[in-house]
Amino acid sequence: MYFPAYRPRRLRKNENFRRMIRETKVSVDDLVYPLFTISGKDVKKPISSMPGNFQMSIDHLVKEVQKIKEAGIPAVLLFGIPEKKDETASGAFIKDGIIQQAVKRIKDRVPDIVVITDVCLCEYTSHGHCGMLEKNDVDNDTTLEVLAETALSHARAGADMVAPSAMMDGQVGAIREALDEAGYENLPIMAYSAKYASCFYGPFREAAESTPKFGDRKSYQMDPANADEAIREISLDVEEGADIIMVKPALPYLDIIRRAREEFDLPIAAYNVSGEFAMINAAAKLGWIDGEKAMMESLTSIKRAGADIIITYFAPEAAKLLRT
Ligand code: PBG
């Protein structure tokens, strides 16, 4: 194809032409909305670095989930902030823990929405790391048992899908086995497979009160410089029984999403994380970019890279635009 025989501008002339040849369309069906729940009653505390997002007690959470369902968004992803944290993350797996109660109440009041639970320990440990400590590092195999117990407690509470995010080796297999043994062989796992040690989680850690008290997460989350390793991580999760694989964060890792799309034929989720959300909001507030356009362009890029599912704090705002 050479100019002047081929002139790409011919089909860019007007919006109808552009609509006809548009390759990527974000749909409300693609979206998952993350929510933070905290113990107490009538609590709705704004998260300063994530405008429009709150730490909510279960009463408010249920109302919010109802609104999300009415907006046409098919799923929510729940994070819990427990009443108290301890060395062993007991708040993560006790029967009446914050997530277990929240799931029960949502399934009771808003049954027709997919409730996904984040399976990790950093919100529940006093030290803020994602697992059990041994000599100031997270011990992989003892953590696996706690993660499996946590996932199982979510299943018992009625979760529709569990999403392990601790980046422990073997976590998907350990959870799959525990679920299968307890009769939850039909409960799917969305695995945070390629999760990077990213600074873009900053605002989330304020929201989930999960900043590590010492050190960082580099001994378990991936080095941002590595792409081949992401493929190895995803392969492990696929072999261990993941139903959906995830790349996280999204925008700085579109190449990883694309490679995953080319190498695996499972559904791919991408997590458009808190820092990505905060940056767009901050720049829009300063009048430096058009926030709405930046949001849609970002979501479109993530989909174009190959994601089927986009986990995003923009979900309610995007759903409004997509449905009108
Ligand atoms: C871990 C977890 C984190 C996020 C989701 N699950 C934080 C972390 O690994 O430190 C980050 C999500 C975001 O930034 O939006 N439980």
Side-chain angles (χ1 to χ4, degrees):
M1 285 194 290
Y2 294 103
F3 174 84
Y6 183 57
R7 290 177 181 268
R9 290 185 57 194
R10 285 179 197 136
L11 292 178
R12 286 182 208 144
K13 240 189 298 222
N14 59 47
E15 180 58 12
N16 280 331
F17 273 134
R18 291 191 292 271
R19 277 172 60 205
M20 288 169 72
I21 62 158
R22 189 157 289 146
E23 297 173 35
T24 306
K25 284 178 190 151
V26 177
S27 149
V28 63
D29 298 337
D30 307 329
L31 306 176
V32 175
Y33 188 45
L35 286 163
F36 302 93
T37 187
I38 191 162
S39 52
K41 242 185 137 140
D42 198 19
V43 184
K44 191 168 176 182
K45 193 171 156 221
I47 301 159
S48 63
S49 51
M50 298 169 68
N53 291 266
F54 302 84
Q55 292 181 333
M56 280 176 280
S57 50
I58 295 176
D59 44 343
H60 284 283
L61 179 78
V62 170
K63 284 185 214 150
E64 186 65 26
V65 175
Q66 177 64 33
K67 276 194 229 150
I68 294 302
K69 179 191 136 65
E70 282 160 17
I73 297 163
V76 292
L77 172 61
L78 297 187
F79 295 92
I81 302 120
E83 219 160 347
K84 51 183 195 314
K85 302 172 188 262
D86 56 29
E87 286 275 301
T88 55
S90 57
F93 52 82
I94 48 177
K95 195 161 170 276
D96 57 353
I98 180 74
I99 285 295
Q100 293 77 0
Q101 290 185 42
V103 171
K104 256 184 230 140
R105 281 271 279 286
I106 294 171
K107 291 315 297 180
D108 211 31
R109 308 275 164 85
V110 197
D112 191 22
I113 191 163
V114 173
V115 176
I116 312 169
T117 55
D118 184 84
V119 178
C120 193
L121 306 178
C122 59
E123 297 99 329
Y124 304 91
T125 50
S126 42
H127 44 75
H129 278 286
C130 301
M132 301 295 107
L133 285 191
E134 185 91 50
K135 297 196 194 86
N136 278 350
D137 193 13
V138 174
D139 184 68
N140 196 84
D141 296 9
T142 46
T143 302
L144 291 184
E145 291 165 34
V146 186
L147 290 171
E149 190 58 32
T150 301
L152 194 52
S153 73
H154 295 177
R156 289 193 178 114
D160 297 300
M161 176 147 74
V162 292
S165 71
M167 284 304 276
M168 293 300 120
D169 296 337
Q171 62 181 12
V172 172
I175 290 171
R176 186 70 274 160
E177 197 181 308
L179 291 174
D180 288 0
E181 268 173 26
Y184 295 102
E185 65 276 358
N186 287 320
L187 197 87
I189 298 176
M190 175 166 75
Y192 286 72
S193 306
K195 175 173 175 182
Y196 287 87
S198 169
C199 73
F200 291 101
Y201 308 150
F204 171 95
R205 292 180 187 170
E206 178 203 335
E209 301 180 7
S210 66
T211 310
K213 294 277 181 307
F214 65 90
D216 51 41
R217 304 207 202 289
K218 289 181 187 162
S219 82
Y220 39 105
Q221 299 181 346
M222 282 184 58
D223 183 338
N226 294 356
D228 294 338
E229 189 190 355
I231 302 305
R232 294 197 293 278
E233 275 283 6
I234 299 172
S235 302
L236 283 168
D237 284 1
V238 172
E239 277 164 37
E240 289 170 33
D243 298 279
I244 297 173
I245 52 182
M246 193 199 297
V247 175
K248 176 184 173 193
L251 290 174
Y253 297 87
L254 293 179
D255 59 320
I256 310 297
I257 299 174
R258 170 50 41 187
R259 279 190 62 180
R261 172 78 296 150
E262 279 161 14
E263 305 206 23
F264 301 95
D265 78 0
L266 284 181
I268 296 175
Y271 200 139
N272 178 220
V273 301
S274 57
E276 301 173 49
F277 176 80
M279 281 195 299
I280 289 180
N281 275 291
K285 199 165 152 195
L286 286 166
W288 291 353
I289 53 167
D290 179 323
E292 213 165 75
K293 292 205 171 89
M295 163 181 82
M296 289 317 293
E297 190 172 328
S298 300
L299 298 177
T300 305
S301 311
I302 296 167
K303 181 108 191 249
R304 191 194 60 228
D308 303 290
I309 296 167
I310 308 173
I311 303 164
T312 179
Y313 304 96
F314 286 121
E317 210 183 325
K320 244 182 253 157
L321 290 179
L322 293 168
R323 295 189 100 202
T324 48

